[in-house]
Amino acid sequence: MRLLTVKNLRKTFAQEKEAIHAVNGVSFHVDKGEIYGLIGLSGAGKSTLVRCLNLLERPDSGEIWFDGIDLAKQNEAVVREKRREMGMIFQHFNLFMRKTVEDNVAYPLRIAGRDRHASKKRVHELIDYIGLSKYARAYPAELSGGQKQRVAIARALALNPKLLLSDEATSALDPVNTELVLSMLRQVVKDFGIGIVLITHQMEVAKALCGRVAVMENGLIIEENNVETLFLSPKHAATRRLIRGVEDAFSLKHGETITTGNIYRLGFRRESVRRPLISYISREYNVDINILAGDINVLQTGDVGYLVVSFEDAGDEEGALKALRENGVELVPLTAEDAVNHL
Ligand SMILES: Nc1ncnc2c1ncn2[C@@H]1O[C@H](COP(=O)(O)OP(=O)(O)OP(=O)(O)O)[C@@H](O)[C@H]1O
Ligand SMILES: [Mg+2]
């Protein structure tokens, strides 16, 4: 079931010198039960986009179809009502520090004027659900970052939203707490039958959680695909840069002097990840293959690996490429510059 359809959304900020097209014509949709990832480097426009989705920021143009209506066309009163159907969680939790855990979770129910008795029950169910019953009367300052984010999740769920918007919800957490929060989000989607728009600059997070992922750059979605395909054959340098992460085994700082041959990024599926395909191809087609970089990513669907290679003094390069394709390898040609900068 379709939860959200965004069409050609735009938001421009007028600055002194120039206009900033923070969101520059974005379209996508999110289904029930889906965790849709929006990933991009700092300044790509992710937060602006997500703030437009629940009209915290008024878009300049475009459509936001949610619950049968186009939110972008509604007045404040309708927007306020519909915003209750979209929970939101943030990087810095945004809890009320002077309120207890239970009062934080109760807050949206109180603002919406819900019955006190029913609210109390709901609050305790939710606190129980996030595993923090012992802390119901505690203040946020007494909680770890991961626990605070769980409280924020409970608060976001208080009004039974259909959609959860998550903007860098794990960016301020250590790896252990990140994992805890991610598995909670995964569980929430299952238990509450909602959808999530998950914004992150960490491919690791998208990898662990998302089905489909959109890559944003300069206010645009430049590439959208399921995670596995994105890892197998990323079309854009920005995507490759995000996939590569920071701790890749190889660095290509001097790549421009390494090779004069054609450079390819080879994406391997789980079956071929651990097969000695490269040495076979090299022997069979008489090509010298220089390995410039590589990594294996563990996805929920299985292992996906990549190698960046150049063909040196190639024998039958065409034949080799054809054989690679026939063995299920995804090929993306790279320029030397791409290879040096982004891989
Ligand atoms: N209120 C504002 N006024 C002016 N410019 C803004 C405003 N909000 C965002 N911008 C600009 O819009 C662009 C996109 O910003 P945005 O915060 O949406 O990016 P982001 O992808 O969320 O980045 P990050 O990963 O750092 O959170 C940036 O150039 C930013 O400076
Ligand atoms: Mg942001």
Side-chain angles (χ1 to χ4, degrees):
M1 194 185 82
R2 190 70 27 112
L3 281 182
L4 175 76
T5 304
V6 175
K7 289 185 189 161
N8 212 12
L9 205 66
R10 287 175 201 275
K11 177 72 190 180
T12 301
F13 295 109
Q15 293 295 73
E16 275 175 32
K17 284 188 192 140
E18 52 180 346
I20 296 174
H21 302 289
V23 178
N24 202 12
V26 164
S27 306
F28 66 98
H29 71 265
V30 182
D31 288 329
K32 187 172 146 83
E34 179 176 34
I35 303 182
Y36 183 83
L38 268 169
I39 180 165
L41 296 175
S42 191
K46 307 179 297 293
S47 292
T48 307
L49 172 59
V50 82
R51 290 168 58 79
C52 283
L53 295 183
N54 62 4
L55 280 289
L56 288 175
E57 199 89 70
R58 275 265 165 200
D60 298 330
S61 63
E63 301 167 22
I64 303 165
W65 289 93
F66 179 70
D67 228 7
I69 59 173
D70 178 4
L71 289 183
K73 304 268 187 306
Q74 310 302 319
N75 63 34
E76 247 339 282
V78 177
V79 164
R80 213 175 304 125
E81 193 60 37
K82 287 294 169 189
R83 201 179 279 141
R84 293 179 181 156
E85 308 275 323
M86 288 189 194
M88 186 153 181
I89 54 174
F90 308 87
Q91 177 172 4
H92 296 295
F93 326 122
N94 298 22
L95 297 177
F96 299 105
M97 298 307 278
R98 289 166 185 276
K99 288 186 195 291
T100 60
V101 165
E102 96 193 330
D103 289 343
N104 267 283
V105 178
Y107 183 76
L109 294 156
R110 204 157 62 77
I111 293 300
R114 296 294 155 89
D115 169 76
R116 273 187 68 146
H117 185 69
S119 292
K120 204 163 174 190
K121 186 159 168 282
R122 174 81 182 143
V123 167
H124 284 276
E125 277 167 14
L126 283 166
I127 294 177
D128 201 30
Y129 180 77
I130 58 169
L132 291 180
S133 295
K134 274 198 304 200
Y135 294 89
R137 298 280 164 89
Y139 288 87
E142 301 167 57
L143 305 179
S144 74
Q147 289 171 330
K148 281 183 208 151
Q149 196 59 290
R150 277 145 69 191
V151 175
I153 292 172
R155 183 180 60 181
L157 292 172
L159 289 168
N160 285 309
K162 297 189 173 70
L163 190 67
L164 203 57
L165 307 175
S166 165
D167 190 356
E168 303 282 5
T170 57
S171 297
L173 302 179
D174 63 46
V176 173
N177 279 297
T178 294
E179 183 46 45
L180 277 171
V181 167
L182 294 183
S183 54
M184 174 142 290
L185 290 177
R186 210 179 282 128
Q187 198 60 39
V188 160
V189 169
K190 281 203 194 99
D191 294 343
F192 295 79
I194 60 170
I196 301 183
V197 178
L198 184 116
I199 292 189
T200 176
H201 63 273
Q202 300 165 288
M203 191 55 109
E204 288 300 316
V205 169
K207 193 163 103 175
L209 220 57
C210 299
R212 284 183 309 138
V213 174
V215 181
M216 252 188 113
E217 191 180 50
N218 296 328
L220 285 168
I221 290 181
I222 55 170
E223 192 163 358
E224 180 198 79
N225 230 318
N226 66 58
V227 172
E228 184 173 310
T229 310
L230 211 61
F231 272 81
L232 273 172
S233 52
K235 297 289 179 291
H236 287 264
T239 314
R240 292 193 286 273
R241 194 188 301 164
L242 287 161
I243 286 177
R244 185 190 53 169
V246 281
E247 70 256 350
D248 232 9
F250 298 83
S251 157
L252 246 197
K253 283 275 178 286
H254 306 292
E256 66 271 43
T257 58
I258 287 177
T259 180
T260 53
N262 293 326
I263 304 174
Y264 297 92
R265 183 191 189 281
L266 312 181
F268 296 84
R269 278 198 186 74
R270 59 205 97 138
E271 314 82 63
S272 45
V273 164
R274 294 194 173 87
R275 272 196 292 162
L277 202 53
I278 295 296
S279 60
Y280 163 76
I281 298 283
S282 176
R283 247 190 344 265
E284 203 68 13
Y285 296 91
N286 191 29
V287 288
D288 286 335
I289 298 177
N290 192 3
I291 296 176
L292 303 177
D295 198 7
I296 291 181
N297 283 287
V298 181
L299 305 185
Q300 277 162 321
T301 47
D303 295 353
V304 165
Y306 78 85
L307 285 176
V308 175
V309 301
S310 66
F311 287 78
E312 311 292 339
D313 299 322
D316 182 7
E317 183 171 325
E318 281 309 309
L321 294 176
K322 186 158 172 283
L324 284 167
R325 278 199 196 91
E326 282 168 3
N327 277 278
V329 175
E330 300 286 338
L331 292 174
V332 180
L334 299 184
T335 64
E337 196 193 353
D338 270 348
V340 174
N341 291 332
H342 316 305
L343 287 181

mmCIF file of all heavy atoms in Angstrom, residues 18 73 163 213:
data_model
loop_
_atom_site.group_PDB
_atom_site.id
_atom_site.type_symbol
_atom_site.label_atom_id
_atom_site.label_comp_id
_atom_site.label_asym_id
_atom_site.label_seq_id
_atom_site.Cartn_x
_atom_site.Cartn_y
_atom_site.Cartn_z
ATOM 1 N N GLU A 18 23.222 34.434 -3.676
ATOM 2 C CA GLU A 18 22.593 33.545 -4.652
ATOM 3 C C GLU A 18 21.493 32.733 -3.980
ATOM 4 O O GLU A 18 21.469 32.590 -2.771
ATOM 5 C CB GLU A 18 23.644 32.600 -5.241
ATOM 6 C CG GLU A 18 24.421 31.899 -4.153
ATOM 7 C CD GLU A 18 25.478 30.946 -4.684
ATOM 8 O OE1 GLU A 18 25.453 30.615 -5.877
ATOM 9 O OE2 GLU A 18 26.295 30.522 -3.865
ATOM 10 N N LYS A 73 -1.006 21.461 -0.614
ATOM 11 C CA LYS A 73 -2.098 22.381 -0.980
ATOM 12 C C LYS A 73 -3.002 22.719 0.207
ATOM 13 O O LYS A 73 -3.994 23.408 0.050
ATOM 14 C CB LYS A 73 -2.982 21.743 -2.059
ATOM 15 C CG LYS A 73 -2.266 21.318 -3.308
ATOM 16 C CD LYS A 73 -2.272 22.406 -4.365
ATOM 17 C CE LYS A 73 -1.699 21.880 -5.677
ATOM 18 N NZ LYS A 73 -0.350 21.285 -5.514
ATOM 19 N N LEU A 163 3.537 6.941 9.202
ATOM 20 C CA LEU A 163 4.863 7.133 8.632
ATOM 21 C C LEU A 163 5.776 7.728 9.697
ATOM 22 O O LEU A 163 5.354 8.572 10.484
ATOM 23 C CB LEU A 163 4.753 8.117 7.458
ATOM 24 C CG LEU A 163 5.960 8.300 6.549
ATOM 25 C CD1 LEU A 163 6.243 7.028 5.764
ATOM 26 C CD2 LEU A 163 5.705 9.460 5.575
ATOM 27 N N VAL A 213 16.932 2.613 -1.669
ATOM 28 C CA VAL A 213 17.724 3.753 -1.220
ATOM 29 C C VAL A 213 17.815 4.773 -2.346
ATOM 30 O O VAL A 213 18.027 4.422 -3.509
ATOM 31 C CB VAL A 213 19.151 3.317 -0.824
ATOM 32 C CG1 VAL A 213 20.019 4.525 -0.506
ATOM 33 C CG2 VAL A 213 19.117 2.377 0.370
#
